[in-house]
Amino acid sequence: MKSKIGIIIGREFNERVRKKSFILTTLLTPLLIVGLMVAPMLIMSYSEGEEKRIVVIDDSGIIAPYLQSNDEVRFEPMSITVEDARKVFKEHFAVLHIGKDVVNNPAEVRMYTNESASIMLEENIATIIEKAIESERLKAHNIENLPQILASIKADVALQSFKNESSSGTEEIKSSSSAVATVIAYVLSFMLYMFLIIYGAMVMQSVIEEKNNRVLEVLVSSVRPFEMMLGKILGVALVAVLQIVIWIALIACVGFFVIPLLIPEDISSMLEMMRQGAAIEAGADIGLLQAIMTLTDVQYLGTIFASLLLFVVGGFLLYAALFAAVGSAVDNVQDAQQLQLPITMPIILSLLIMITVINDPTSKVAFWCSMIPFTSPIVMMARIPYEIPMWEIITSLVLLYATFIGAVWLASKIYRVGILIHGKKPTFKELYRWIRYKY
């Protein structure tokens, strides 16, 4: 049995690894992930629209000086009635009317637009007017040198976040970066999502092709259907593991060798001070320092990489078994769409839950969804960068792999019947009947 499964694993592994598509995706996927992270910033920086001209009618005579034009908006104060302005300045973006008693009644602000206004533009204008009203209200108290007093009491807090850890009876502190944890959580969750969908569909497609080519009918004479399915799943799983190992090696080289060489000496000295728990001088970029410390923390990255491998393998094995069962029950991809919906829904749901997890990685929703095997691969990988207790990770892995064993048993019962049936798309009721067959 072992030799037969080994032959199937080797065939599936070699067939995919030798393809040019495998080499391209292995090398280009890290660049694609970086591109997805950088793209929103580039889009925002290059997607600025035309300058919006806004006519300002300030009946109070107070707010207009606070409305400073910029590259996006040009404010044009005018002495004209609102009715006339709305008729005459049709080519302008909008007419902004500020009431006479706006300081006491901030609701006396109206904007008449000739085009659709974005919520960001409306909020920016509202914020400027709010600050102007607050400044005027402060002036009413007749406090001498008020601007200088406000400037002198202004404080910019640079919060340093540390993780409490106990080691050998002594208390140690370790700097942590929530920003880096959030980015890593996003990247890992999307990576798991893509792996489960892409490689699961790859197993299903492979089964459908072999079924249509009648290859399986020849193989079942010498290999049991269960052995065939297990070998196919493990072969594709090895391909996924190889890809991840290559990516981990590339990231590790960058984190351990490249980043330290790019760090200036003054930042290195501040990093050493942070490691010792000492206070950092004012003006230092605490967020940048904590990000560098996190990205060069061998133990932190090692935990993430090891967890990534385990959850990718466990999640893939679980879903690949289900995708293989679906592939064996149909003759083409179109017929498989209805049957695979219950399989893909938990994966999509996991990605939606991931957003909630990032906001609060210790919430009840985050905890239980990271324990449920069908959502745990993605949800748990979104929690691990926030350094959750190790017992939660171990418990989640045990449940995931135990469920995989049950899924393989369940899928094999569908697989051994479905691979020999052609020309008919089974219903869910028929699949249940196949599961109950005794052999």
Side-chain angles (χ1 to χ4, degrees), residues 19 21 62 68 81 103 124 134 138 165 167 169 212 222 243 268 279 290 292 318 323 333 340 356 358 372 390 419 423:
K19 289 183 178 179
S21 58
I62 297 173
Q68 300 296 321
T81 64
V103 175
N124 289 339
E134 291 169 0
L138 284 172
E165 292 186 348
S167 177
N212 289 333
S222 57
Q243 250 183 353
S268 297
Q290 290 183 326
I292 294 174
L318 172 61
F323 274 111
V333 177
Q340 70 178 355
T356 304
I358 289 175
I372 299 173
M390 183 59 67
I419 57 174

Side-chain angles (χ1 to χ4, degrees), residues 90-122:
K90 289 288 187 180
E91 299 299 324
H92 284 57
F93 178 78
V95 174
L96 179 64
H97 178 226
I98 301 171
K100 187 175 183 179
D101 193 32
V102 68
V103 175
N104 297 318
N105 184 14
E108 290 188 356
V109 179
R110 292 178 174 83
M111 186 167 69
Y112 304 92
T113 61
N114 295 316
E115 302 175 22
S116 298
S118 67
I119 186 172
M120 186 174 295
L121 175 64
E122 293 178 354

